[in-house]
């Protein structure tokens, strides 16, 4: 192909002595003797070449400019198939492209750095720019004007002590700016150490012991605390407030973040400071009240009832009743409550806060966490409330143990013991479920709910919503029937699947035997006796000559003589007439 017009053709100088022109080479698919030939010349005299071009990734050509400042140059590209040209007209002072500064060095304090470098004077005023790369990756640019001496420098202020930075420098023409030079090589810089700023966050746990109290102190760095160097130690000081005794102090290595001290039952002022190679930080202060004055917040914490709190997607929600007398609140807890001693954590909140979501990467479902809420005023803290809760409740892993079964023909009374303790519960125990079903068929007992198992079999379910109730009677069972029974505890996380059943056989109904005895056995006995004493029964019930006193027919009150019933003879026609005895006859 014939050559294209040279692209990106432009010329510049770096030292006001020599001009370099550059352009991009096009593809002609011709090689060897037929490759494109480039000629750079003055436009007014193209027969006179200014320089010999060299091409690799980019073509360039340089020549000495002497005293000439205005140039009109043309580049010509030619091969056997054609020729193309490109022209550039420029003032050398307007095409300044300085070289990058070399040999940059620095000196620093805790808050500023000064960059130094040497640069040859090229006869024009230069404008300098310094880039400082912050630890967070952001870059800050600082500008400065030309310095007449060969030795250049720029000072950057407002930096953080003992912090890693990276700096580099570039320059451009102050007048008729065309383009920046390349950056110098980045120079890593660490500012010097300074006095620590801010205070450590300190907290305590108080344990009453014989003769006084063990005070475990914890401390941590907060976002407002800046070490401004390498922390080499912590200094803890405590002094009694009542009698103005001499303070006691102890220094700890920087690897520690807690310690324990013993104090008596008086009030104490405890402080801690962080120390680096320059100085101490400001002290963080706690006031420990004397035992009599602080009995509620230290020695009688058991009097506070633990309230329940709930987990959310972001953590565990804690709320409390605000009090106007406190200037801040503190919540403490243990990330791993089953470990002893636990790793106490705490968080501070402002006076207008009455709820907070406590989150931690250590929180896991099924573990009970305890929280204590303190009110703080003038560095003195008092326990206000206690809370317990879960990130998420889980079902109990252990089933209640059924200890006793009391059976009748139509009921069973269950008694059980719970294997769960408050600490081991994976959730708050809400109650129990009793499941019953006959071995053959599904269950439909009166007063129960249906519960369908994965195999589609149906159980009867009874709910006991009182966790303290560990006895229940299932009624309306069938006599002489085999049943399966299970007792499950449930929490806010539900319950586990039923795996093990207990089996019972209801006895025969004794009342049915009793009724059978009354309806069959007794009449049979009576019939046998009657048959055995037939003559006596006949004489008693159906005599040949009825006795007036035994006859139910003779029930008329007017036929009585001296309380004896009288049978009027004209009332019946007798078959036989006889006199019983002379004595009876005389009496009649």
């Amino acid at each position: 192909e014939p050559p294209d017009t040279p692209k990106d053709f432009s010329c510049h100088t770096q030292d006001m002595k020599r001009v370099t022109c550059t352009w991009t080479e096009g593809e002609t698919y011709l090689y060897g003797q037929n490759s494109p030939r480039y000629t750079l010349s003055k436009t007014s005299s193209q027969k006179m070449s200014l320089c010999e071009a060299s091409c690799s990734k980019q073509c360039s050509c340089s020549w000495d400019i002497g005293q000439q400042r205005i140039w009109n140059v043309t580049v010509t590209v030619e091969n056997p198939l054609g020729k193309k040209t490109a022209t550039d007209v420029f003032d050398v002072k307007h095409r300044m492209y300085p070289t990058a500064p070399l040999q940059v060095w620095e000196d620093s304090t805790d808050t500023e750095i000064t960059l130094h470098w040497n640069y040859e004077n090229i006869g024009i005023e230069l404008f300098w720019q310094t880039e400082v790369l912050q630890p967070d990756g952001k870059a800050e640019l600082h500008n400065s004007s030309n310095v007449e001496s060969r030795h250049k420098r720029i000072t950057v202020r407002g930096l953080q002590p003992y912090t890693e930075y990276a700096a580099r420098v570039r320059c451009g023409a102050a007048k008729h700016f065309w383009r920046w030079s390349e950056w110098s090589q980045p120079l890593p810089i660490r500012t010097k150490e300074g006095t620590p700023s801010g205070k450590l966050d300190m907290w305590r746990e108080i344990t009453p012991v014989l003769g006084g109290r063990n005070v475990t102190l914890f401390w941590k760095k907060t976002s407002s605390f800046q070490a401004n160097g390498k922390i080499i130690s912590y200094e803890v000081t405590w002094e009694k407030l009542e009698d103005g005794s001499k303070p006691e102090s102890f220094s700890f290595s920087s690897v520690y973040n807690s310690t324990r001290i013993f104090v008596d039952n008086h009030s104490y002022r405890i402080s801690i400071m962080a120390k680096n190679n320059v100085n101490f930080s400001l002290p963080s202060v706690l006031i420990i009240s004397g035992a009599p004055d602080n009995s509620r917040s230290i020695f009688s914490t058991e009097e506070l009832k633990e309230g329940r709190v709930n987990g959310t997607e972001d953590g565990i929600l804690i709320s409390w009743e605000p009090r106007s007398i406190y200037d801040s609140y503190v919540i403490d807890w243990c990330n791993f409550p089953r470990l002893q001693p636990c790793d106490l954590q705490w968080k501070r909140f402002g006076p207008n806060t009455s709820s907070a979501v406590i989150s931690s990467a250590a929180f896991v479902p099924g573990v009970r966490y305890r929280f204590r809420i303190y009110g703080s005023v003038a560095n003195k803290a008092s326990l206000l409330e206690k809370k317990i809760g879960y990130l998420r409740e889980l079902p109990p892993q252990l089933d209640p143990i059924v200890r006793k079964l009391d059976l009748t023909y139509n009921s069973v009374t269950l008694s059980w013991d719970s294997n769960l303790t408050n600490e081991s519960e994976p959730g708050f125990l809400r109650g129990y479920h009793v499941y019953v079903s006959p071995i053959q068929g599904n269950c439909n007992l009166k007063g129960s709910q249906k519960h369908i198992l994965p195999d589609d079999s149906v159980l009867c379910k009874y709910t006991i919503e009182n966790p303290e109730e560990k006895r229940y009677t299932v009624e309306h069972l069938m006599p002489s029937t085999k049943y399966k029974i299970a007792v499950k505890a449930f929490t806010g996380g539900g319950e586990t699947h039923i795996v093990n059943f207990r089996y019972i056989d209801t006895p025969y109904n004794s009342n049915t035997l009793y009724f059978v005895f009354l309806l069959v056995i007794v009449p049979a006995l009576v019939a046998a006796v009657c048959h055995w004493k037939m003559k006596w029964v006949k004489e008693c019930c159906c005599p040949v000559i009825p006795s007036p006193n035994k006859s139910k027919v003779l029930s008329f009150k007017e036929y009585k003589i001296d309380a004896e019933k009288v049978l009027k003879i004209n009332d019946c026609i007798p078959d036989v007439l006889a006199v019983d005895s002379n004595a009876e006859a005389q009496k009649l």
Side-chain angles (χ1 to χ4, degrees):
E1 294 180 355
D4 291 329
T5 301
K7 298 178 181 179
D8 305 321
F9 178 58
S10 67
C11 302
H12 64 266
T13 180
Q14 291 187 310
D15 54 8
M16 296 299 294
K17 297 177 182 179
R18 192 171 178 83
V19 168
T20 299
C21 295
T22 59
W23 63 91
T24 302
E25 183 181 22
E27 180 59 70
T28 63
Y29 304 101
L30 294 174
Y31 309 100
Q33 294 181 352
N34 298 321
S35 297
R37 296 183 301 277
Y38 294 94
T39 304
L40 190 68
S41 60
K42 291 182 179 181
T43 303
S44 58
S45 178
Q46 295 189 8
K47 293 182 179 180
M48 181 179 175
S49 176
L50 291 173
C51 59
E52 184 178 347
S54 63
C55 297
S56 55
K57 293 183 179 179
Q58 189 181 47
C59 295
S60 66
C61 189
S62 300
W63 74 95
D64 292 331
I65 60 177
Q67 299 299 319
Q68 186 175 341
R69 292 291 178 262
I70 305 299
W71 288 85
N72 186 346
V73 297
T74 299
V75 61
T76 303
V77 56
E78 184 178 7
N79 70 7
L81 299 180
K83 179 172 69 174
K84 292 290 178 65
T85 62
T87 301
D88 188 16
V89 180
F90 60 93
D91 184 333
V92 174
K93 289 186 177 181
H94 297 182
R95 293 292 181 89
M96 189 64 199
Y97 176 43
T99 58
L102 300 175
Q103 296 179 344
V104 180
W105 69 96
E106 54 82 24
D107 58 62
S108 65
T109 67
D110 58 338
T111 59
E112 63 182 44
I113 59 174
T114 300
L115 296 176
H116 304 264
W117 65 95
N118 292 325
Y119 201 85
E120 291 290 341
N121 192 345
I122 58 176
I124 65 171
E125 184 180 355
L126 295 176
F127 183 74
W128 300 91
Q129 188 174 72
T130 302
E131 180 190 70
V132 178
L133 188 65
Q134 304 285 334
D136 59 2
K138 294 182 180 179
E140 290 186 0
L141 297 177
H142 302 267
N143 298 325
S144 65
S145 59
N146 185 46
V147 179
E148 293 299 331
S149 64
R150 182 175 181 275
H151 178 75
K152 317 294 184 183
R153 69 179 181 180
I154 184 171
T155 299
V156 180
R157 297 178 175 86
L159 304 179
Q160 293 296 321
Y162 202 65
T163 304
E164 290 280 357
Y165 295 93
R168 57 183 184 173
V169 182
R170 66 182 179 180
C171 60
K175 295 180 181 179
H176 311 297
F177 177 84
W178 188 57
R179 71 167 64 165
W180 289 108
S181 72
E182 297 296 325
W183 286 107
S184 65
Q185 289 295 320
L187 179 66
I189 305 169
R190 180 191 287 273
T191 52
K192 290 182 168 52
E193 294 189 53
T195 300
S197 61
K199 302 177 182 179
L200 294 170
D201 187 4
M202 180 171 58
W203 190 234
R204 86 292 185 275
E205 187 172 37
I206 302 174
T207 305
V209 294
L210 184 63
R213 294 160 290 175
N214 281 333
V215 180
T216 304
L217 301 174
F218 303 86
W219 57 87
K220 62 184 177 181
K221 300 173 184 177
T222 63
S223 57
S224 62
F225 176 84
Q226 297 295 328
N228 294 338
K230 184 178 181 180
I231 298 299
I232 58 177
S233 64
Y234 299 102
E235 185 160 309
V236 176
T237 303
W238 62 99
E239 59 180 325
K240 193 181 299 185
L241 295 180
E242 282 84 354
D243 57 6
S245 59
K246 183 179 179 181
E248 297 181 65
S249 64
F250 197 86
S251 182
F252 300 91
S253 168
S254 61
V255 299
Y256 294 99
N257 63 358
S258 66
T259 188
R260 177 181 295 176
I261 62 174
F262 173 81
V263 298
D264 56 28
N265 291 324
H266 292 86
S267 298
Y268 278 82
R269 179 184 184 273
I270 304 175
S271 65
I272 185 171
M273 297 183 294
K275 184 180 185 302
N276 63 12
N277 290 311
V278 176
N279 207 342
F280 287 96
S281 69
L282 294 174
S284 179
V285 179
L286 281 177
I287 303 297
I288 305 297
S289 296
D293 299 331
N294 205 25
S295 59
R296 173 170 175 77
S297 63
I298 297 177
F299 294 101
S300 302
T301 58
E302 293 79 5
E303 297 176 4
L304 293 175
K305 187 177 180 181
E306 291 181 323
R308 292 185 176 182
V309 292
N310 299 316
T312 66
E313 291 183 358
D314 301 321
I316 299 176
L317 177 63
I318 310 293
S319 60
W320 62 91
E321 181 183 350
R323 282 83 162 174
S324 59
I325 63 172
Y326 298 111
D327 55 27
S328 65
Y329 297 95
V330 180
I331 299 178
D332 70 8
W333 71 94
C334 292
N335 273 343
F336 304 96
R338 294 173 182 173
L339 297 180
Q340 292 299 328
C342 84
D343 60 328
L344 189 69
Q345 307 292 317
W346 70 97
K347 195 171 184 180
R348 296 184 181 272
F349 301 92
N352 299 321
T353 307
S354 60
S355 65
V357 174
I358 304 299
S359 60
S360 171
F363 286 170
V364 295
V367 175
R368 176 174 293 189
Y369 297 96
R370 299 181 180 275
F371 302 88
R372 294 177 294 191
I373 300 116
Y374 294 83
S376 178
V377 58
N379 299 320
K380 184 188 298 184
S382 299
L383 180 62
L384 304 179
E385 299 180 29
K386 297 163 71 176
K387 306 286 186 179
I388 55 174
Y390 297 84
L391 181 66
R392 188 175 77 248
E393 295 184 59
L394 297 179
Q397 297 299 314
L398 299 176
D399 293 336
I401 300 175
V402 179
R403 297 294 186 186
K404 188 177 180 182
L405 293 170
D406 293 330
L407 278 171
T408 67
Y409 70 93
N410 68 344
S411 69
V412 59
T413 300
L414 307 172
S415 299
W416 60 85
D417 293 333
S418 176
N419 288 321
L420 301 177
T421 63
N422 288 338
E423 296 303 323
S424 66
E425 291 176 10
F428 294 120
L429 185 61
R430 309 298 174 92
Y432 302 93
H433 287 143
V434 176
Y435 297 94
V436 181
S437 178
I439 297 298
Q440 301 295 330
N442 294 326
C443 183
N444 55 358
L445 296 178
K446 181 180 179 181
S448 65
Q449 296 176 318
K450 285 187 177 181
H451 179 79
I452 302 176
L453 294 178
D455 61 359
D456 293 331
S457 60
V458 179
L459 304 180
C460 290
K461 182 173 79 171
Y462 300 88
T463 302
I464 300 97
E465 295 184 346
N466 180 8
E468 302 300 323
E469 183 66 39
K470 299 177 183 179
R471 180 182 176 89
Y472 191 77
T473 299
V474 179
E475 298 179 334
H476 309 294
L477 301 180
M478 295 295 295
S480 304
T481 305
K482 191 168 187 177
Y483 288 90
K484 56 183 179 181
I485 296 178
V487 179
K488 303 288 290 185
F490 67 91
T491 65
E495 65 185 25
T496 56
H497 294 297
I498 304 173
V499 177
N500 298 316
F501 285 95
R502 289 197 64 170
Y503 297 89
I504 61 170
D505 291 297
T506 53
Y508 290 101
N509 188 349
S510 58
N511 292 334
T512 302
L513 296 177
Y514 178 72
F515 287 128
V516 169
F517 178 78
L518 290 180
L519 295 176
V520 177
I521 303 302
V522 172
L525 290 174
V526 172
V529 170
C530 291
H531 180 73
W532 180 42
K533 295 289 187 177
M534 180 62 70
K535 184 177 181 180
W536 175 82
V537 171
K538 185 176 180 181
E539 286 294 330
C540 182
C541 298
C542 304
V544 176
I545 300 174
S547 172
N549 290 324
K550 297 179 180 179
S551 175
K552 294 182 179 180
V553 179
L554 305 176
S555 60
F556 305 103
K557 294 180 180 180
E558 61 270 20
Y559 299 112
K560 289 186 177 181
I561 300 175
D562 296 331
E564 290 287 346
K565 293 180 181 180
V566 177
L567 176 63
K568 294 174 68 176
I569 199 68
N570 59 357
D571 288 339
C572 63
I573 300 173
D575 294 329
V576 178
L577 182 62
V579 177
D580 288 341
S581 64
N582 291 332
E584 186 69 19
Q586 290 297 324
K587 184 177 180 181
L588 288 172

